[in-house]
């Protein structure tokens, strides 16, 4: 749409589109949140949540438009998504950039229930966005270091307790729970620090994923294993700027649909045998994902 404009002009227009649409939709959700707060009746709160969820879908379409605004991004999608906006799904994905969130919004804008992300606690303080995510019942996770837990043992398992509480709310509204299992964006420095056994990924964290399946496994229709690649960009390269300037030309997405079988549901924290099984399952998924990325890079070079 703006492909013939110079990069700086496209960046400004794209930034304004993202900012204004987020502000408008975010403020609308916050106003709905006031009703949710002032009328503490579960049935009324669920009704308001459904309205807020519909407004949130409008943000998904606005963010999807970002991929056409500065330059029409080419989508390479292998596999397919379920066509069931009234269902419940768990997405497991690698994590490369903030743009990953926009990719998820694009994928889910029409055919999936609106996503819920596990967010870092610090994001709560982002103006409009933080409160809006809180109204939408997105879990804010606070990670504690081993040193902090050693000083204050009561912090052990706090993030998992937050996961449990939020999953209870997800039971009442169709939801796609999105888990970036690596816990942080991939960069060469993090890859080296964590001594990752994978070529293109960080090691996945199994606890939160397992707990989500334990809490909602009978409700999830499927697990969707999503692999994202931004062709032409390496791990750690900025992606947001290129998207805004119309320099991001392609996005590759692979989707595996996995049934939620009974062996994926168990007590991860109190059953050592199940914990070992689940860690092995998730590590195997990550090995397949790593090989898939390697195969894609080999055939495109």
């Amino acid at each position: 749409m703006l492909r013939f404009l110079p990069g700086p002009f496209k960046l400004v227009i794209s930034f304004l589109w993202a900012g204004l649409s987020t502000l408008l939709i975010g403020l609308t959700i916050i106003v709905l949140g006031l009703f949710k707060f002032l009328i503490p009746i579960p049935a009324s709160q669920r009704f308001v949540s459904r309205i807020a969820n519909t407004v949130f879908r409008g943000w998904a379409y606005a963010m999807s438009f970002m991929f056409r605004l500065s330059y029409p991004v080419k989508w390479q999608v292998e596999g397919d998504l379920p066509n069931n906006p009234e269902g419940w799904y768990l997405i497991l994905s690698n994590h490369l950039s903030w743009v990953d969130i926009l990719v998820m919004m694009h994928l889910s804008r029409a055919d999936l229930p609106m996503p819920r992300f596990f967010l870092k606690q610090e994001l709560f303080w982002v103006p409009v966005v933080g409160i809006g995510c809180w109204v939408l019942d997105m879990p804010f996770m606070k990670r504690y270091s081993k040193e902090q837990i050693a000083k204050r043992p009561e912090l052990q398992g706090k993030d998992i307790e937050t996961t449990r509480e939020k999953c209870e709310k997800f039971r009442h509204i169709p939801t796609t729970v999105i888990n970036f299992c690596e816990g942080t964006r991939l960069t060469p420095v993090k890859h080296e620090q964590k001594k990752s056994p994978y070529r293109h990924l960080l090691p996945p964290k199994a606890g939160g994923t397992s707990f989500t399946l334990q809490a909602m496994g009978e409700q999830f229709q499927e697990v969707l294993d999503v692999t994202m690649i931004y062709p032409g960009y390496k791990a750690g390269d900025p992606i947001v700027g290129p998207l805004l300037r119309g320099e991001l030309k392609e996005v590759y997405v692979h989707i595996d649909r996995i049934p939620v079988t009974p062996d994926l549901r168990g007590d991860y924290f109190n059953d050592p045998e199940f914990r070992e099984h689940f860690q092995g399952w998730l590590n195997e998924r990550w090995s397949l994902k790593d090989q898939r990325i390697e195969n894609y890079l080999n055939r495109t070079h």
Side-chain angles (χ1 to χ4, degrees), residues 118 139-144 155-165 208 211 269:
F118 290 89
F140 289 90
M141 311 296 288
K142 187 171 184 178
R143 302 290 184 186
Y144 298 100
L155 297 178
Q156 180 76 40
K158 277 287 186 180
D159 53 347
I160 298 302
E161 180 62 21
T162 301
T163 303
R164 186 193 66 78
E165 292 173 359
F211 198 88
F269 296 97

Side-chain angles (χ1 to χ4, degrees), residues 178-190:
I178 296 181
N179 190 0
F180 294 113
C181 297
E182 295 153 304
T184 185
R185 286 164 287 166
L186 173 66
T187 67
V189 172
K190 293 174 185 175

Side-chain angles (χ1 to χ4, degrees), residues 42-296:
S44 298
Q45 291 180 328
R46 289 195 291 271
F47 177 72
V48 172
S49 291
R50 282 187 170 270
I51 297 175
N53 205 54
T54 301
V55 176
F56 185 38
R57 193 174 293 277
W59 189 73
Y61 276 96
M63 294 303 101
S64 174
F65 185 62
M66 293 283 294
F67 292 102
R68 303 194 305 274
L69 184 59
S70 295
Y71 189 92
V73 172
K74 177 183 176 182
W75 288 88
Q76 301 181 58
V77 179
E78 295 183 359
D80 65 315
L81 288 169
N83 182 8
N84 182 15
E86 295 299 315
W88 279 261
Y89 299 92
L90 174 63
I91 288 181
L92 309 180
S93 177
N94 60 319
H95 195 12
L96 298 169
S97 164
W98 282 105
V99 176
D100 300 349
I101 294 175
L102 305 189
V103 171
M104 291 297 178
M105 301 310 292
H106 172 82
L107 293 174
S108 59
R109 70 196 188 284
D111 299 330
L112 285 178
M114 291 313 298
R116 299 295 188 274
F117 299 90
F118 290 89
L119 304 171
K120 293 180 179 179
Q121 182 70 35
E122 293 78 9
L123 294 177
F124 178 80
W125 303 107
V126 176
V128 180
V129 173
I131 299 296
C133 290
W134 175 79
V135 173
L136 291 165
D137 293 321
M138 295 196 191
F140 289 90
M141 311 296 288
K142 187 171 184 178
R143 302 290 184 186
Y144 298 100
S145 66
K146 293 181 179 178
E147 292 77 14
Q148 288 174 308
I149 292 174
K151 291 179 181 178
R152 298 179 58 193
E154 70 273 15
L155 297 178
Q156 180 76 40
K158 277 287 186 180
D159 53 347
I160 298 302
E161 180 62 21
T162 301
T163 303
R164 186 193 66 78
E165 292 173 359
K166 292 301 181 181
C167 284
E168 286 300 316
K169 293 187 178 182
F170 294 161
R171 288 180 178 275
H172 304 295
I173 185 168
T175 299
T176 301
V177 178
I178 296 181
N179 190 0
F180 294 113
C181 297
E182 295 153 304
T184 185
R185 286 164 287 166
L186 173 66
T187 67
V189 172
K190 293 174 185 175
H191 190 273
E192 183 176 353
Q193 287 176 341
K194 292 180 180 292
K195 297 180 173 54
S196 176
Y198 309 103
R199 290 161 291 188
H200 309 288
L201 301 166
L202 298 176
K205 299 177 183 295
T209 303
S210 176
F211 198 88
T212 304
L213 282 166
Q214 181 184 358
M216 294 185 62
E218 295 181 1
Q219 205 161 357
F220 285 131
Q221 271 80 38
E222 291 174 296
V223 172
L224 307 177
D225 184 351
V226 174
T227 303
M228 289 184 286
I229 301 173
Y230 300 101
Y233 295 89
K234 305 186 298 296
D237 287 350
I239 307 295
V240 175
L243 172 64
L244 296 177
R245 294 191 297 269
E247 297 167 1
L248 180 64
K249 301 298 190 294
E250 295 182 57
V251 176
Y252 169 84
V253 178
H254 185 281
I255 303 159
D256 267 344
R257 297 173 61 174
I258 305 165
V260 182
T261 51
D263 68 297
L264 297 181
R265 301 195 301 269
D267 190 345
Y268 182 88
F269 296 97
N270 297 304
D271 184 344
E273 185 176 345
F274 174 77
R275 180 165 61 247
E276 183 178 356
H277 165 74
F278 191 84
Q279 287 174 341
W281 176 81
L282 187 58
N283 288 336
E284 183 179 355
R285 294 304 317 173
W286 240 241
S287 294
L288 292 171
K289 188 186 294 288
D290 195 51
Q291 187 59 52
R292 183 174 297 119
I293 295 172
E294 180 71 13
N295 293 342
Y296 177 84

